[in-house]
Amino acid sequence: MRSALLPLIAALAGALFLTACGTEQAGGPIASPSPSGDPCGGQSPSTAAASPPGPADAEHDGVRITGFGGGSQGCAAFKVTHTGAEPFTYMITFDLLSDAGTVLDNTERTVERVAPGRTVWGTLRLSESAAGSRNVSGVRIAKVRSVPADEAPYTHGPCPESGLRVYADDGDAAMGLRVVSVHVENCGTRPYALHGYPEVRLYDEEHEPVEGVRILRDGSSVAGATGADGPALPIVVGPGESAWAGLVWRNTVQAGTPVHAPYARVRVKSGADRVMAVPELDLGTTGKLAVGPWKKREEAPASP
């Protein structure tokens, strides 16, 4: 009798597992813990046949993969535990792996406002990734970034109290030259005046200030023809309009220790709210970063 019941029990467990996975939208923010705990049923993370994820792949910077069910309709469960002194927003990049351990796709999740001492649960719906119908045999944590919740950058959702969305894009790279744009979108109801350059302060992976890097004005102080140059002219960003300023650097590595500054605390002008953007600045040993002037969106950033 017991052996006859085992297939039925397994089928019911699988059905419950997939139902739980279907309650979240992949890529969307998670604001509160799941009331039922681990939404993937407490299963252990699966491992890829040729390249099993090690401890660093399954747990990183307060994020842990807690369950996995493979295949194109499966899901992965994870949790975020925050031990800091103020609420933080987490941005997590996951790699989806094939049987051979190669990366089929990566996907990102944002976990908003995790309070000190709290744990928040979330899921990835594998069917909504670019991996499509290919079999996903493993999931690993590729990268974790976290910023103070009150300084988190947002590209969508409710308009901040400031009336501005401020964030950095993924940028362009060519032959060691890097260009990332800081964007300002006026989602409010009033015009916003800008003149000059954004204020930028750099921070490392431990959220400590990066010392020894010169912040220069005008992108041409590092390289020309990036679009992040020219005079700093007064502009007005009306409701529904946007502006941008370029960050330009080279990642040349010579003598010394290369500098990696994933975070940049930005103020669009003196006295404005601070936003912790995540431009991932691999500054090499050059010791300098150029900041271009604010420009209206119609002056699109140029590729290096």
Side-chain angles (χ1 to χ4, degrees), residues 94-135:
F94 295 92
D95 285 338
L96 308 184
L97 306 175
S98 69
D99 288 335
T102 58
V103 178
L104 298 172
D105 184 28
N106 17 62
T107 186
E108 296 183 356
R109 296 300 300 266
T110 297
V111 184
E112 299 178 359
R113 303 193 69 87
V114 184
R118 295 294 303 275
T119 294
V120 175
W121 299 85
T123 59
L124 303 173
R125 291 183 62 191
L126 306 184
S127 61
E128 296 184 1
S129 74
S133 60
R134 291 174 289 177
N135 188 52

Side-chain angles (χ1 to χ4, degrees), residues 212-213 250-259 282-288:
V213 175
R250 294 187 184 277
N251 73 333
T252 308
V253 176
Q254 296 178 342
T257 303
V259 173
D282 56 338
L283 298 169
T285 57
T286 59
K288 59 184 180 180

